[in-house]
Amino acid sequence: EVQLVESGGGLVKPGGSLRLSCAASGFAFSNTWPSWVRQAPGKGLEWVGRIKSKTDGESTDYAAPVKGRFTISRDDSKNMVYLQMDSLKTEDTAVYYCITSWSDWGQGTLVTVSS
Amino acid sequence: DIQLTQSPSSLSASVGDRVTIACRASQSISSSLNWFQQKPGKAPKLLIYAASNLQSGVPSKFSGSGSGTDFTLTISSLQPEDFATYFCHQDYSIPRTFGGGTKVDIK
């Protein structure tokens, strides 16, 4: 069974940093191109970024609002994907979902950026 | 970036109604359009992929159509469990984008 479990969310002050983790199990993680998608409270869905597989170069792509502040990485030996979030802004407050295919989502982890 | 415009943004319907939701892309995305259902407090659930393909395990009352810039999601006979918010999404190009959502509630 495919499982994605996010962790690392919480309350952080503007300008602060947070690292989210996503643990994957039940499938061949190393072949996937995981994405992060977020959803601000009461709002729609916003794609944050993705990382390609190692065999495809492990390159990353990001949405404009987070480019230069967020970094996605992966550790295939642990079946993990990470989202390092720096210089956080109040508008980054959202539930963050980890996705390895559009049919497989984690339960999400809430990040609140507030003073 | 490709913009996706959903209409309507909300609708009220009765059990048994046929419901259609539209999604228009700002440029052609071929058939690279997915539909999701989301209920409060839950992650989105994939219903339709590549415009018209029913995701495994999804009831056949859901159907999708369209290509290029205009797409529709149809629920043939609305049931109580279908009251939710529906999003379209394009995976044609980076950045991936989503429509603003259509909230379906009970009339």
Side-chain angles (χ1 to χ4, degrees):
Chain A
E1 181 197 358
V2 171
Q3 259 204 320
L4 297 165
V5 180
E6 301 95 338
S7 60
L11 176 63
V12 61
K13 288 182 167 52
S17 298
L18 209 57
R19 187 173 93 147
L20 306 184
S21 301
C22 173
S25 61
F27 61 101
F29 175 76
S30 63
N31 298 333
T32 65
W33 294 13
S35 288
W36 288 91
V37 170
R38 67 184 181 182
Q39 187 170 35
K43 302 296 184 183
L45 299 165
E46 181 183 26
W47 181 81
V48 172
R50 72 161 183 202
I51 183 166
K52 294 183 179 179
S53 63
K54 190 168 186 175
T55 55
D56 290 308
E58 219 169 301
S59 61
T60 51
D61 295 288
Y62 299 96
V66 308
K67 197 168 187 177
R69 300 188 297 122
F70 288 13
T71 304
I72 299 173
S73 60
R74 64 190 298 161
D75 184 342
D76 290 347
S77 68
K78 297 179 180 177
N79 284 0
M80 297 287 294
V81 61
Y82 304 99
L83 179 64
Q84 176 67 41
M85 304 185 293
D86 299 319
S87 303
L88 281 160
K89 304 176 181 180
T90 55
E91 53 263 40
D92 295 319
T93 294
V95 173
Y96 284 75
Y97 294 101
C98 166
I99 297 154
T100 51
S101 75
W102 295 111
S103 59
D104 301 317
W105 295 59
Q107 84 287 351
T109 188
L110 176 62
V111 172
T112 303
V113 185
S114 173
S115 54
Chain B
D1 297 4
I2 295 173
Q3 311 301 320
L4 295 178
T5 303
Q6 274 184 248
S7 59
S9 57
S10 66
L11 67 90
S12 295
S14 301
V15 172
D17 282 354
R18 181 183 180 88
V19 168
T20 299
I21 298 168
C23 179
R24 173 165 286 178
S26 58
Q27 65 187 74
S28 177
I29 57 171
S30 187
S31 296
S32 300
L33 193 285
N34 304 318
W35 289 98
F36 294 91
Q37 175 194 67
Q38 188 178 32
K39 296 182 179 179
K42 299 292 188 182
K45 174 186 174 184
L46 181 65
L47 300 176
I48 301 288
Y49 65 94
S52 60
N53 296 276
L54 193 66
Q55 173 66 12
S56 175
V58 173
S60 59
K61 60 183 169 181
F62 293 98
S63 63
S65 64
S67 66
T69 60
D70 291 299
F71 302 86
T72 58
L73 172 71
T74 299
I75 310 171
S76 60
S77 177
L78 204 64
Q79 297 302 304
E81 62 271 19
D82 303 328
F83 292 96
T85 301
Y86 294 84
F87 294 95
C88 59
H89 159 257
Q90 65 83 17
D91 58 0
Y92 181 80
S93 68
I94 295 293
R96 307 300 193 217
T97 49
F98 292 87
T102 297
K103 185 176 181 180
V104 177
D105 61 22
I106 302 171
K107 184 183 286 185

